[in-house]
Amino acid sequence: MVLLDGKAISSQIRAELAEETAQRRAQGLKVPHLAAILVGNDGPSETYVSSKVKTCQEIGFESTLLRFDHSISEAALLAEIQKVNENPSIDGLIVQVPLPAHISVDKVMETISPAKDVDGFHPINVGKTVKNLPTFLPATPYGILMLLKRYEIETQGKHCVIIGRSQIVGTPMSILMARNEYPGNSTVTLTHSKTRDLDGICRQADILIAAIGRPGMVGPEMVKQGAVVIDVGINRIEDSSKKSGFRLVGDVDFDRVAPLCSYITPVPGGVGLMTIAGLMRNTLKAARKDFYP
Ligand code: NDP
């Protein structure tokens, strides 16, 4: 079994990005600038946003964190997004989800300029992804593709089973794994909570991607000998031995599943770090105007 080391690969990618950013600076070109909007005080969201801002600092990107109170109206938030859209110094914008219930995530995503949509959630960028046109890929699927590529994992003709059909992970991942390129060319099955015989379908997977949000749900009864297992889940479970009172676990029961796998991602240290790497690469692409000149 080989551990897909998101920590090592994401640090390689950060080093590449830092080098290109230093070159851009030396050539007098624009240094990538990421803005992040955080609404309210959700604990995990605070952690995600601060690690994104920290990564920007490490690789030499500029970053701006815009914080708003939980009570901000939808109209006021959309106006703030519009301001960022019109600010030429900012290349990429992310709005951390979840948002308070009175704010429509769809309206927020549609208000972000497609040219600055480095999370790849705008319908125009989603459409381009489906049509396999060059665009910002959603950060988590993009991170997973980079991981598969750097470990040179064969995907062509493989049966890829994805558990979870969210707009940010499962659904785009299914489209990307079915594309006629590498990584891709897999035969994809997208499963969800209404799927019948989930265990049986998962046991057919050469590549199994779990994006469910249920700690340890994927056990050895769902995994074929030799499968590649990608665990997207990030779940907090209580742990009194930790200072924070919790620890992070994935959707896969790692200890029991790992012995069956050819490759597996750990949690933490797997897909989470690759997601940030994907976001950073998208931000560089936004600054380079790769997709929206
Ligand atoms: P969502 O809650 O949006 O989607 C969960 C999906 O899992 C749904 O499609 C749901 O089905 C399906 N599901 C739930 N229970 C079952 C079940 N018993 N059997 C089969 N399918 C089931 O989650 P996200 O995609 O946003 O996130 C999933 C996990 O990934 C979370 O732990 C999240 O924290 C993590 N995550 C990690 C990221 C990273 O960077 N590593 C980035 C984003 C998320 P249905 O549609 O029928 O309800």
Side-chain angles (χ1 to χ4, degrees), residues 140 164-166 192-193 211-214 217 232-235 271-272 275:
T140 302
R165 57 177 159 187
S166 71
H192 44 77
S193 68
I212 320 161
R214 294 186 179 242
M217 192 187 104
V232 182
I234 300 182
N235 309 292
V271 175
T275 295

Side-chain angles (χ1 to χ4, degrees), residues 224-251:
K224 178 167 87 174
Q225 182 79 42
V228 176
V229 173
I230 309 284
D231 189 353
V232 182
I234 300 182
N235 309 292
R236 286 182 174 203
I237 59 165
E238 274 183 38
D239 185 342
S240 54
S241 71
K242 302 275 174 199
K243 217 168 86 190
S244 59
F246 68 85
R247 69 191 158 94
L248 297 180
V249 298
D251 290 339

Side-chain angles (χ1 to χ4, degrees), residues 44 48 52 97 121 139-141 144 162-171 190-195 198 210-215 217 222 231-236 249-251 267 270-276:
Y48 297 145
K52 289 166 188 173
V97 288
F121 296 156
T140 302
I144 295 170
I162 297 163
I163 320 175
R165 57 177 159 187
S166 71
Q167 295 296 317
I168 61 172
V169 190
T171 294
L190 182 59
T191 69
H192 44 77
S193 68
K194 313 288 189 299
T195 296
L198 183 66
I212 320 161
R214 294 186 179 242
M217 192 187 104
M222 297 170 78
D231 189 353
V232 182
I234 300 182
N235 309 292
R236 286 182 174 203
V249 298
D251 290 339
V267 177
V271 175
L273 294 167
M274 293 305 299
T275 295
I276 298 183

Side-chain angles (χ1 to χ4, degrees), residues 142-158:
Y142 185 23
I144 295 170
L145 293 184
M146 289 195 281
L147 204 53
L148 293 170
K149 203 169 179 173
R150 298 231 173 180
Y151 277 87
E152 298 178 357
I153 292 174
E154 182 58 85
T155 57
Q156 180 164 315
K158 303 288 180 185

Side-chain angles (χ1 to χ4, degrees), residues 46-66:
E46 296 261 0
T47 312
Y48 297 145
V49 168
S50 61
S51 56
K52 289 166 188 173
V53 168
K54 197 172 136 239
T55 307
C56 283
Q57 287 160 356
E58 265 174 44
I59 60 185
F61 286 7
E62 285 180 44
S63 61
T64 300
L65 174 55
L66 299 162

Side-chain angles (χ1 to χ4, degrees), residues 250-272:
D251 290 339
V252 176
D253 182 345
F254 184 91
D255 291 342
R256 294 198 305 143
V257 166
L260 291 171
C261 300
S262 55
Y263 297 89
I264 185 168
T265 58
V267 177
V271 175

Side-chain angles (χ1 to χ4, degrees), residues 17 20 24 30 32 91 281-293:
L17 291 171
E20 186 166 341
R24 287 180 68 83
K30 191 169 179 318
D91 303 296
R281 271 184 88 163
N282 277 343
T283 305
L284 175 66
K285 288 171 187 221
R288 288 198 311 225
K289 305 209 177 299
D290 283 6
F291 309 128
Y292 294 91

